[in-house]
Amino acid sequence: MSDYEYLLYETFDESTIARITLNRPQTRNAQNRGLLVELDDAFARAQADDDVRVVILAGAGPAFSSGHDLGSPDRIRESTPGPDQHVTYQCNGATRAGAESRVRQEWHYYFDNTRRWRNLRKITIAQVQGNVYSAGLMLAWCCDLIVAAQSARFADVVATRLGMCGVEYFGHPWEFGPRKAKELLLTGDAIDAGEAHRLGMVSKVFADAELAERTLDFARRVARVPTMAALLIKDSVNHTVDAMGFTNALNTCFALHELNHSHWMELSGGKVALGTPEFGGPDWRTAPPVQLAARDTP
């Protein structure tokens, strides 16, 4: 396997555990197209390896992931026509006109890939610290288990900063609960690792300095479960949630997300697909810092 530009891939304990690390710490592991394509390859690599029983998804630096990359030099380079343009900006609907291009591109690279990772034929553990914001939530939520550092903060700020109704993989009501999901989306507030553990979204909370090693210890416990039993446990839970409407809800909410994009495109005369002050949206540049949701604070 070739080396990755935006990821680290390593194995432990005679390859029974694989760890994939998002490796763009200078952007707080913002998700550019190259990173997402490499991540799909790395997950497939771990899935194909019969020695691997558990896959850890981690992020280098102070934050697990700050969400979609909206403007780093890598993002600009790979999306700009020319010799350095990423190949994925030339296929999967990228050359289509109107809303079709965005719908098909986001379906492939923000939505369907996340659903695919959720159903990976291995047990997956998200190892998160610092900011887990917006699309960062999607990477954590597609994993079977989430282990958090004490510094972890979870928030979706796209409504209050970009005028959008949440990220493409809309797991909020299932992860936070219906009313808490509405509160967090409408305010842009965050919850900390302790509250995420109380809600059942996070399995373990460790000190930041111990996060990597304690997550490996946790993965070792999971890896001792016979692989067939582990896979059937995963499928039993996932199918139960699917029977409750999870997959149908995801499909519908993705369509609503794309409708929200089209709303801003229509208001702006085709200029922008997100809310901006010029067209009645919020101004992310002057947004206050994300604050923790507190029961006694408006």
Side-chain angles (χ1 to χ4, degrees):
M1 290 289 180
S2 61
D3 293 332
Y4 297 111
E5 182 177 0
Y6 301 114
L7 303 176
L8 301 174
Y9 186 101
E10 54 193 330
T11 59
F12 303 86
D13 298 359
E14 299 180 330
S15 296
T16 58
I17 298 170
R19 184 166 66 197
I20 303 166
T21 303
L22 312 177
N23 193 32
R24 299 186 74 213
Q26 72 280 7
T27 67
R28 299 295 193 269
N29 296 315
Q31 300 163 35
N32 63 311
R33 184 64 57 83
L35 180 146
L36 290 171
V37 170
E38 287 187 354
L39 182 56
D40 194 41
D41 182 87
F43 271 134
R45 174 180 175 178
Q47 180 169 253
D49 188 340
D50 284 348
D51 290 329
V52 173
R53 292 172 172 238
V54 177
V55 182
I56 298 170
L57 177 60
F64 174 69
S65 177
S66 58
H68 290 317
D69 187 339
L70 299 180
S72 77
D74 284 336
R75 168 69 172 80
I76 295 170
R77 171 184 53 80
E78 67 185 10
S79 61
T80 301
D84 294 329
Q85 186 179 44
H86 198 279
V87 65
T88 61
Y89 285 96
Q90 304 167 26
C91 61
N92 288 323
T95 63
R96 300 295 187 185
E100 182 181 0
S101 174
R102 177 170 292 99
V103 169
R104 290 181 61 178
Q105 284 272 291
E106 293 203 348
W107 187 89
H108 277 283
Y109 300 112
Y110 297 159
F111 179 61
D112 195 47
N113 56 352
T114 312
R115 294 192 304 178
R116 181 166 59 253
W117 302 334
R118 180 233 184 192
N119 293 311
L120 202 77
R121 302 292 79 194
K122 308 286 182 176
I123 302 300
T124 53
I125 302 174
Q127 173 189 305
V128 306
Q129 78 284 354
N131 294 341
V132 187
Y133 284 176
S134 300
L137 293 171
M138 303 200 308
L139 296 187
W141 286 344
C142 73
C143 293
D144 299 307
L145 302 165
I146 301 174
V147 171
Q150 291 174 341
S151 65
R153 300 290 184 270
F154 305 88
D156 189 346
V157 299
V158 297
T160 56
R161 300 194 175 197
L162 299 174
M164 292 296 297
C165 59
V167 291
E168 294 82 358
Y169 183 90
F170 196 83
H172 311 62
W174 306 86
E175 300 287 352
F176 297 138
R179 285 193 175 84
K180 196 67 176 178
K182 292 176 184 176
E183 174 197 341
L184 297 178
L185 284 162
L186 290 168
T187 63
D189 287 349
I191 59 172
D192 61 17
E195 177 68 0
H197 182 268
R198 189 190 69 80
L199 291 173
M201 190 180 87
V202 161
S203 296
K204 305 289 182 181
V205 179
F206 299 129
D208 283 56
E210 301 175 354
L211 179 64
E213 190 56 42
R214 299 296 293 275
T215 302
L216 271 174
D217 289 341
F218 186 44
R220 290 180 177 114
R221 289 189 62 193
V222 176
R224 289 198 291 268
V225 178
T227 54
M228 186 62 174
L231 181 61
L232 293 180
I233 289 169
K234 173 171 182 160
D235 283 351
S236 295
V237 175
N238 282 4
H239 289 322
T240 298
V241 177
D242 287 341
M244 297 165 64
F246 178 74
T247 297
N248 285 337
L250 284 186
N251 291 335
T252 299
C253 292
F254 175 74
L256 294 173
H257 178 94
E258 296 306 318
L259 173 62
N260 205 160
H261 277 313
S262 295
H263 167 74
W264 291 115
M265 287 291 284
E266 182 174 341
L267 284 182
S268 67
K271 294 180 180 179
V272 291
L274 300 168
T276 63
E278 295 86 344
F279 305 105
D283 188 350
W284 61 268
R285 293 164 296 188
T286 60
V290 176
Q291 65 182 40
L292 285 176
R295 64 181 184 179
D296 58 353
T297 302

